[in-house]
Amino acid sequence: MFDARCTRNSCRKACWQTFPQVETATLKKSPDAADVATHRPRATYHIRMNRPDSSGGCAARGRPRGFDAHTSLLQAIEVFRSQGYEATSLDDLTRELGINRSSFYTCFGSKHALLLAAIDAYCTRSLMRFDTILKSARKPARRIDALLEAIVEPDAGRSGCFLHNCIGELAPTDAEVDARAVRHVAAIRKRLRTTLNEAGVASPGRVADALLAAALGALSMRKAGASPRAIRTVLRTCTDTLLG
């Protein structure tokens, strides 16, 4: 077991601001070549995020004074989104985040731990955005259209959706990523089903499943280079067919 702690107050503060609800997180390290070759079990890390005290303190060595862990998560999301998890090296991450390896391990623990934290942040932000969208439109049908648009983001280019990319690359073999993906999709399905039920749609659960399938398919179209217009046409055809 490896116990990584944020020993300096400034780094502990940055980590706590990013993970305020987490006292202790159990994280799994991705196996390296030696692990695979010797069939060693995957190592487990216990990373404890402690609340910062108020005694002040200087910035950790090698880490800029303006370092913000939340901003670093957003930067990591873009790196993983554009390059994929396996293709992203630790050097890629430290360069983009503007920190050295020591500071990276102190604040995030491991590349895999950073990925999981990035997924959690991405899902939380996405659901908050979806809830805002669902509250902004009065008619249920309009809310569904707006929600599908927000999920797929047809104008966002071929880099793909961060979570959708993680599902395709990692979910079949990474139980922690898979659990997060399942939970997020279920949360979206619940919102769709509730809105469909408010609209008086028959079999709202089945229709929600169909709309989710359409959205995931549209995300694949986006990554394959389909035009925004073509993607929106597919979404509109699905909603017109399913909602009448």
Side-chain angles (χ1 to χ4, degrees):
M1 297 292 184
F2 173 75
D3 188 29
R5 295 171 183 262
C6 298
T7 55
R8 292 181 175 85
N9 180 69
S10 55
C11 190
R12 286 161 50 202
K13 182 177 180 181
C15 289
W16 180 255
Q17 288 173 341
T18 307
F19 309 99
Q21 77 284 13
V22 179
E23 287 289 346
T24 303
T26 301
L27 305 165
K28 292 186 178 179
K29 175 190 175 187
S30 297
D32 56 24
D35 292 331
V36 174
T38 58
H39 302 288
R40 294 200 303 247
R42 176 178 290 185
T44 300
Y45 290 153
H46 290 283
I47 298 176
R48 183 176 296 278
M49 304 297 184
N50 295 318
R51 287 182 181 272
D53 56 42
S54 57
S55 60
C58 63
R61 182 183 301 173
R63 181 168 56 78
R65 288 181 179 273
F67 175 82
D68 180 81
H70 179 69
T71 299
S72 293
L73 280 182
L74 300 182
Q75 293 170 324
I77 287 172
E78 292 308 313
V79 176
F80 287 136
R81 184 207 304 268
S82 62
Q83 298 182 194
Y85 175 74
E86 295 296 344
T88 298
S89 68
L90 191 58
D91 287 339
D92 293 331
L93 291 168
T94 54
R95 180 174 60 253
E96 292 298 324
L97 273 56
I99 57 177
N100 62 25
R101 288 193 175 217
S102 176
S103 296
F104 178 91
Y105 286 122
T106 297
C107 194
F108 299 113
S110 69
K111 173 184 166 183
H112 190 255
L114 174 59
L115 173 74
L116 297 181
I119 291 175
D120 288 341
Y122 181 85
C123 291
T124 298
R125 287 167 58 89
S126 295
L127 292 177
M128 290 175 63
R129 182 164 59 94
F130 297 160
D131 286 341
T132 299
I133 289 170
L134 290 173
K135 293 176 182 177
S136 64
R138 294 183 178 181
K139 295 182 178 181
R142 179 68 190 95
R143 294 205 297 267
I144 292 170
D145 287 339
L147 178 56
L148 293 177
E149 174 84 10
I151 293 170
V152 178
E153 295 182 302
D155 297 308
R158 298 189 64 175
S159 60
C161 162
F162 170 57
L163 185 61
H164 187 254
N165 292 352
C166 289
I167 292 172
E169 180 184 4
L170 300 171
T173 57
D174 190 317
E176 290 170 294
V177 171
D178 183 59
R180 284 163 169 78
V182 169
R183 185 165 60 244
H184 187 66
V185 171
I188 296 174
R189 182 186 185 276
K190 180 179 179 180
R191 286 160 171 77
L192 274 172
R193 191 184 191 285
T194 298
T195 306
L196 290 166
N197 191 56
E198 292 173 358
V201 174
S203 303
R206 295 172 62 183
V207 175
D209 289 337
L211 290 174
L212 266 176
L216 292 173
L219 282 169
S220 296
M221 288 178 63
R222 187 185 115 192
K223 194 168 180 64
S227 69
R229 180 178 180 180
I231 294 171
R232 289 190 173 95
T233 297
V234 168
L235 293 177
R236 171 57 64 183
T237 300
C238 290
T239 54
D240 287 348
T241 301
L242 292 169
L243 303 181

